[in-house]
């Protein structure tokens, strides 16, 4: 069983991973929420352990982001915050369990094993989720996240982004976009496509060094990390 731990206390993180590994788990440790979300993009884990008060993106926001595309992988919050309001916030974001620090490692192990026994195969289709680097598109819920932050899009912006993403790096022409996104409901000689591409760039790329939406001059547009 592969465990991913989000904990910025270096000593606790190391001790907890050693304990889990001594009980036949593998454990990867991450110290901030932003790196954690990048880690799960290309790796599969059986359970997540999340501290709340960590740098960059807190554990509750990480939990909420995970649940936007993964409803089934167990999540346990491990936090020094013990108020009922903190626990309510965690369960509202669909965490499976909450353990207040300091806790006995054996108790955590019992809770982990209980959740893993109840874990069911995911009902969500992989086709419902599209990932391009730190961009996550949830087609079912029509939500978009980048670096763990939700990005508000209009319906047409969302449909355009999905079409670009589903092309998997291939260039799509203005004509193809109008056929699939607008169904020829406007004159292709207008600049509507260009306008919406600019809308997306401002929302998806503006605040990030890595640009994902590209123009291939004379041919069209594509979504890629290259």
């Amino acid at each position: 069983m592969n465990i991913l731990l989000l904990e910025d206390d270096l000593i606790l993180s190391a001790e907890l991973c050693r304990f889990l590994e001594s009980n036949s788990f593998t454990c990867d440790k991450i110290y901030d929420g932003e790196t954690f979300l990048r880690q799960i993009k290309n790796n599969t884990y059986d359970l997540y352990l999340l501290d709340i008060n960590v740098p960059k993106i807190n554990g509750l926001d990480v939990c909420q982001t995970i649940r936007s595309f993964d409803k089934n992988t167990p999540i346990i919050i491990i936090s020094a915050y013990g108020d009922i309001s903190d626990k309510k916030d965690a369960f509202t974001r669909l965490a499976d369990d909450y353990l207040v620090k300091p806790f006995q490692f054996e108790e955590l192990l019992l809770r982990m094993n209980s959740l893993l026994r109840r874990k069911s195969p995911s009902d969500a289709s992989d086709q419902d989720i599209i990932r391009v680097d730190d961009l996550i598109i949830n087609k079912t819920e029509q939500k978009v996240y980048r670096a763990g932050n939700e990005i508000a899009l209009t319906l047409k912006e969302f449909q355009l982004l999905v079409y670009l993403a589903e092309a998997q790096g291939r260039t799509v022409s203005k004509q193809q976009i109008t056929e699939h996104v607008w169904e020829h409901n406007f004159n292709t000689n207008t600049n509507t496509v260009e306008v919406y591409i600019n809308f997306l760039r401002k929302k998806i790329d503006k605040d990030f060094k890595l640009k994902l939406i590209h123009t291939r001059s004379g041919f069209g547009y594509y979504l890629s990390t290259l």
Side-chain angles (χ1 to χ4, degrees):
M1 289 289 183
N2 299 317
I3 309 301
L4 186 59
L5 170 65
L6 175 61
E7 172 59 70
D8 65 336
D9 183 323
L10 302 185
I11 295 176
L12 176 59
S13 178
E15 290 179 348
L16 186 50
C17 275
R18 280 197 297 270
F19 172 78
L20 293 175
E21 288 166 355
S22 71
N23 283 276
S24 302
F25 291 93
T26 62
C27 180
D28 293 335
K29 47 188 182 292
I30 302 293
Y31 307 113
D32 70 84
E34 187 175 293
T35 303
F36 188 97
L37 290 174
R38 287 202 302 268
Q39 177 76 5
I40 64 177
K41 178 168 59 71
N42 296 315
N43 298 276
T44 300
Y45 292 93
D46 298 290
L47 186 144
Y48 300 118
L49 297 174
L50 308 179
D51 186 16
I52 294 177
N53 189 22
V54 295
K56 297 185 179 179
I57 302 174
N58 71 60
L60 293 179
D61 289 339
V62 168
C63 178
Q64 184 172 336
T65 299
I66 292 171
R67 286 296 181 241
S68 71
F69 60 87
D70 179 354
K71 305 296 185 188
N72 292 284
T73 302
I75 296 175
I76 300 178
I77 302 295
I78 51 173
S79 174
Y81 302 143
D83 291 344
I84 189 63
S85 59
D86 298 310
K87 296 179 181 180
K88 181 179 179 180
D89 197 3
F91 288 118
T92 298
R93 301 184 196 220
L94 303 182
D96 295 286
D97 204 347
Y98 194 111
L99 199 54
V100 178
K101 299 176 183 176
F103 54 84
Q104 294 186 12
F105 287 180
E106 289 290 346
E107 181 179 358
L108 174 63
L109 182 62
L110 290 172
R111 297 187 184 211
M112 288 173 55
N113 286 331
S114 176
L115 286 171
L116 290 168
R117 283 195 300 269
R118 299 201 305 265
K119 181 181 177 183
S120 60
S122 174
D123 294 327
S125 168
D126 290 341
Q127 296 179 350
D128 293 335
I129 304 298
I130 304 174
R131 297 179 180 86
V132 181
D133 197 74
D134 58 352
L135 177 70
I136 297 173
I137 305 170
N138 186 319
K139 293 167 59 180
T140 301
E141 297 184 4
Q142 295 189 338
K143 291 184 178 182
V144 175
Y145 299 84
R146 185 152 190 201
N149 298 309
E150 185 172 359
I151 299 172
L153 299 181
T154 67
L155 178 59
K156 283 301 176 188
E157 289 169 350
F158 181 80
Q159 291 172 339
L160 175 56
L161 181 63
V162 169
Y163 183 61
L164 290 172
E166 288 182 334
Q168 298 181 333
R170 299 188 306 274
T171 301
V172 292
S173 68
K174 180 177 175 181
Q175 179 68 32
Q176 290 173 312
I177 291 173
T178 60
E179 289 176 359
H180 287 84
V181 179
W182 276 273
E183 299 178 351
H184 288 297
N185 288 330
F186 65 87
N187 188 330
T188 55
N189 291 324
T190 68
N191 67 341
T192 301
V193 172
E194 290 87 344
V195 168
Y196 273 81
I197 288 289
N198 285 332
F199 287 161
L200 281 184
R201 280 179 167 145
K202 289 178 181 178
K203 294 183 177 183
I204 301 296
D205 281 342
K206 182 180 178 182
D207 297 327
F208 297 91
K209 182 178 180 181
L210 177 63
K211 308 304 180 186
L212 300 178
I213 302 171
H214 306 278
T215 301
R216 187 180 177 197
S217 183
F219 291 90
Y221 305 94
Y222 65 98
L223 186 70
S224 174
T225 58
L226 302 178

